[in-house]
Amino acid sequence: MSHPHYYIGLMSGTSADAIDAVLVTFDEHPRLIAHYSEPLSDSLREQIHALALPSDNEIDRVGALDISLGQHFARISLTLLQHAEVDPEQVMAIGSHGQTIRHRPPGSPQGCFTLQIGDPNTIAELTGITTVADFRRRDMAAGGQGAPLVPAFHRAIFHSTEEPRVIVNIGGMANITWLPKQEATLGFDTGPGNVLMDGWILAHHGKSYDESGTWAASGTINQMLLDKLLQHPFFTQAAPKSTGRETFNRQWLEDALQGIALGAEDVQATLLELTAITISDAIHSLSSEPKAVFVCGGGAYNMQLIRRLQALLASDKVESTASLGIHPQWIEAMAFAWLARQTMNRQSGNVKEVTGAQREVILGGVYYA
């Protein structure tokens, strides 16, 4: 009797709020066997966010944090396997996204590069499992944006010949994948997802996120602030495009707030509207025909954000990916398990039309156990 081919996917997003781990098989269809999530400590989160912008003594700080996060990823992988009662020897590979600390897409004045840490050598050594990483850097090496990397997985598991679909992933940043019934897959970052809202509520209430968008719902959208935020050139930039905390951050928001006196809850309401409008505008630009829109990522739990998306996309159906059978929290981690499998099987893991890469490539560097 043959044993299932298990893969682990590890994901820590722009918000740096938690590490998500999944155990997946792909024998016929992707099947989520087990999942585990562990919040990052305030100290680790602060170290990660501090490295998102240039500062002093970066090399030593990056080096130390690289190893520390690698140890965290390894321990969380083993905890996941313990809960699933699966031996490490049964796992074909770990796909680790790593933790992005700097992302400079093509055209950036500082140069074109992306950097994720969470040392895959450490993960492979401590788990005894071959680890695949550096997905974003490989895509950039092929001329791509390095993001988003999930559209190929979205196409593999969510494409339908019956209806055009849009998969909306709302993490720290937001990205969409356009899955028409016949034509080519498209995808790109739309701008900030939760990152500004998370930072604002952390500063004012000490909470890592606005649960269900309740605080945002208590405020009033300020049109003057919203108009200033929407003037950022990224929103009208043609795809392929990607962005990050380097562009959309607290300092950018503070600059926009100059000369505008607002209650903190009104700022939160306006930030939520910014996310909703930029996502919905991007979806409107894809096609005028009615579409099925499925939301995943942390933003799927922000009920106020979902209500605004439903209102702005009135001709479209807006639901969670749960209606397609996959819990919205685990989609990204599953994507990196899939990318590990693609790499180990020497199959492409990206869509060049999405990231702008010169060709579809085998994504990821392999670190053998």
Side-chain angles (χ1 to χ4, degrees):
M1 180 179 175
S2 62
H3 294 287
H5 291 169
Y6 292 111
Y7 291 85
I8 289 175
L10 298 173
M11 181 66 203
S12 181
T14 310
S15 295
D17 52 357
I19 297 171
D20 290 339
V22 295
L23 184 67
V24 188
T25 61
F26 298 98
D27 294 331
E28 292 184 10
H29 304 286
R31 188 160 70 95
L32 181 62
I33 304 300
H35 54 79
Y36 176 71
S37 184
E38 185 172 299
L40 287 172
S41 68
D42 292 343
S43 174
L44 273 176
R45 187 183 307 114
E46 288 167 6
Q47 291 177 63
I48 292 165
H49 288 173
L51 286 167
L53 296 171
S55 54
D56 295 331
N57 199 30
E58 286 185 321
I59 293 178
D60 282 331
R61 290 161 56 207
V62 167
L65 189 57
D66 184 36
I67 301 302
S68 178
L69 283 173
Q71 293 168 345
H72 274 74
F73 286 135
R75 180 179 52 77
I76 285 169
S77 297
L78 294 175
T79 301
L80 169 74
L81 293 178
Q82 184 178 15
H83 289 174
E85 298 183 344
V86 170
D87 292 330
E89 293 79 9
Q90 295 177 262
V91 180
M92 303 295 290
I94 294 172
S96 178
H97 169 272
Q99 177 65 58
T100 299
I101 58 169
R102 199 72 57 84
H103 182 70
R104 303 291 190 191
S108 299
Q110 301 86 351
C112 171
F113 69 93
T114 189
L115 182 59
Q116 289 72 42
I117 59 173
D119 180 31
N121 299 281
T122 298
I123 299 171
E125 186 64 30
L126 294 180
T127 61
I129 301 170
T130 294
T131 299
V132 188
D134 282 340
F135 298 100
R136 297 197 184 280
R137 294 208 298 172
R138 180 61 189 273
D139 186 72
M140 273 201 170
Q145 291 271 330
L149 291 186
V150 289
F153 178 64
H154 290 163
R155 181 177 64 184
I157 65 170
F158 291 138
H159 179 260
S160 169
T161 57
E162 304 298 320
E163 62 180 4
R165 291 176 172 178
V166 181
I167 311 301
V168 182
N169 177 49
I170 309 176
M173 299 298 152
N175 58 70
I176 61 173
T177 301
W178 170 227
L179 299 172
K181 288 183 286 186
Q182 301 294 337
E183 294 82 8
T185 298
L186 297 174
F188 51 91
D189 286 352
T190 61
N194 304 315
V195 64
L196 297 172
M197 292 185 284
D198 288 351
W200 192 251
I201 197 169
L202 181 65
H204 289 272
H205 289 287
K207 298 178 179 179
S208 58
Y209 65 98
D210 183 5
E211 187 171 357
S212 294
T214 303
W215 191 41
S218 73
T220 301
I221 297 164
N222 182 274
Q223 194 62 45
M224 182 183 296
L225 175 60
L226 182 61
D227 289 344
K228 288 181 73 173
L229 297 175
L230 285 169
Q231 287 174 8
H232 196 287
F234 178 81
F235 299 128
T236 55
Q237 182 182 331
K241 59 181 180 177
S242 62
T243 191
R245 186 181 288 274
E246 300 79 9
T247 299
F248 296 107
N249 52 49
R250 180 65 180 272
Q251 187 58 56
W252 176 70
L253 174 59
E254 293 290 353
D255 291 345
L257 281 168
Q258 291 296 315
I260 304 176
L262 286 180
E265 70 278 6
D266 298 334
V267 175
Q268 188 76 350
T270 306
L271 294 176
L272 185 144
E273 189 70 3
L274 174 70
T275 295
I277 284 178
T278 50
I279 291 172
S280 61
D281 282 354
I283 293 173
H284 285 309
S285 75
L286 299 171
S287 170
S288 60
E289 65 181 321
K291 299 169 284 293
V293 178
F294 300 96
V295 183
C296 59
Y301 302 96
N302 187 321
M303 292 301 101
Q304 178 65 7
L305 179 56
I306 297 301
R307 284 190 288 269
R308 289 302 301 140
L309 285 173
Q310 289 171 334
L312 292 165
L313 298 167
S315 63
D316 300 324
K317 175 182 68 175
V318 179
E319 299 178 343
S320 157
T321 56
S323 64
L324 296 176
I326 302 183
H327 196 285
Q329 181 175 346
W330 310 116
I331 298 287
E332 272 200 292
M334 288 180 68
F336 285 92
W338 181 81
L339 285 168
R341 174 179 176 268
Q342 294 296 98
T343 300
M344 298 303 290
N345 290 336
R346 302 190 62 80
Q347 296 174 354
S348 175
N350 77 332
V351 182
K352 63 182 180 179
E353 291 82 2
V354 171
T355 67
Q358 295 161 359
R359 61 191 178 93
E360 293 185 6
V361 296
I362 300 168
L363 286 171
V366 182
Y367 299 78
Y368 291 100

